[in-house]
Amino acid sequence: MPQILRSRALAAATLAVVVVGCLVACGGAPPTAKPTRESPSSTPAETPEPSPVAPPVRVAPVASSDPNDLSVVVNKLRPLTPADYAPADVVEVAVPYANQPFLRREAADATVAMFAAFEAQTGLKMQAQSAYRSYSTQVSVYAGWVASKGQAGADLTSARPGHSEHQTGLAIDISALPAVCTLQACFADTPQGQWLAANAVTYGFVLRYPAGGTPVTGYEFEPWHYRYVGVAMAADYAATGATTLEQYFGLPAAPTYAP
């Protein structure tokens, strides 16, 4: 082989040895960098603002003409239909009484609970003076008032037959036991009258004929006369600040009977 070719071959072989040796010495190809785990951000994620919740919309109450409905309104312009209506679920009310009381079952249960609470809280007693009255009974009651007061006076005190809340089985007259200020405005100042004014709504009752309400209801102040409307409606009634069912339901005043 010519001398120049041998020299070139030797140089190439030497170079190959040097490269291989370098690779071995240097530990082979440079290592591939391993991916590193990202460290968590030091800034906390923002909590999203809660969406505003709209308050529930109050549904305006509607007075009923159905005497079986707790929202029935009976007054001098809204007679019962039929006039001789009699509730089907009237039961005896297990409370002390001057005249044996009967009410619709739901109102009767509420009355028993209310009387028990009054006695437990005060150590005093009260009694039912008058509760459900049938059409025929109301005929007699109203006639008695007319005989003693005349018709104009009777109309401030007692409902004409077919226009009485007592006929619905949802109204009760309450008096103190022992009796004091029975069916008189001064009942409002007795412990029984004061407790009822503050607590009857809790049991589903509202004072039906308040002081100063005669131009609306047509009746004198009767702090003894309570009307059962149910616990939910009574609470709503109190929350609105209404003082009569006419005001609560947006009905016209009924101070006199229709001609």
Side-chain angles (χ1 to χ4, degrees):
M1 176 182 296
Q3 182 67 32
I4 188 169
L5 292 178
R6 282 199 302 267
S7 298
R8 288 179 179 177
L10 180 60
T14 303
L15 179 59
V17 172
V18 171
V19 171
V20 171
C22 181
L23 288 176
V24 173
C26 295
T32 303
K34 294 183 180 179
T36 57
R37 181 180 299 175
E38 293 183 1
S39 60
S41 173
S42 59
T43 304
E46 293 186 2
T47 303
E49 291 290 332
S51 301
V53 178
V57 177
R58 177 179 177 270
V59 178
V62 178
S64 176
S65 297
D66 181 353
N68 295 298
D69 198 317
L70 292 182
S71 62
V72 65
V73 175
V74 184
N75 60 28
K76 293 180 178 181
L77 296 179
R78 294 172 62 93
L80 285 165
T81 305
D84 62 351
Y85 164 78
D89 60 341
V90 167
V91 297
E92 185 176 355
V93 188
V95 297
Y97 59 84
N99 299 287
Q100 189 174 19
F102 294 85
L103 289 171
R104 289 181 58 185
R105 182 174 298 277
E106 183 177 339
D109 291 344
T111 299
V112 171
M114 183 168 68
F115 273 53
F118 170 74
E119 186 171 346
Q121 293 176 26
T122 68
L124 302 174
K125 294 182 180 293
M126 54 188 180
Q127 63 184 343
Q129 189 68 28
S130 182
Y132 168 67
R133 296 200 291 261
S134 67
Y135 179 89
S136 60
T137 299
Q138 193 64 26
V139 170
S140 300
V141 170
Y142 181 74
W145 284 108
V146 171
S148 64
K149 287 192 167 188
Q151 185 165 342
D155 283 343
L156 286 172
T157 303
S158 179
R160 295 179 185 179
H163 292 262
S164 173
E165 280 205 327
H166 286 284
Q167 194 178 327
T168 67
L170 297 172
I172 183 170
D173 293 341
I174 300 171
S175 60
L177 183 64
V180 57
C181 287
T182 301
L183 303 182
Q184 299 177 54
C186 60
F187 177 72
D189 300 321
T190 65
Q192 290 82 355
Q194 293 176 342
W195 189 92
L196 287 167
N199 297 283
V201 66
T202 303
Y203 300 90
F205 290 89
V206 298
L207 177 66
R208 183 64 178 98
Y209 305 122
T214 305
V216 175
T217 67
Y219 295 100
E220 296 175 321
F221 177 36
E222 294 190 359
W224 59 86
H225 181 111
Y226 280 84
R227 159 66 194 278
Y228 184 75
V229 295
V231 173
M233 192 182 302
D236 188 57
Y237 179 96
T240 66
T243 57
T244 66
L245 289 181
E246 287 79 10
Q247 180 187 5
Y248 178 65
F249 286 111
L251 296 172
T256 59
Y257 292 96

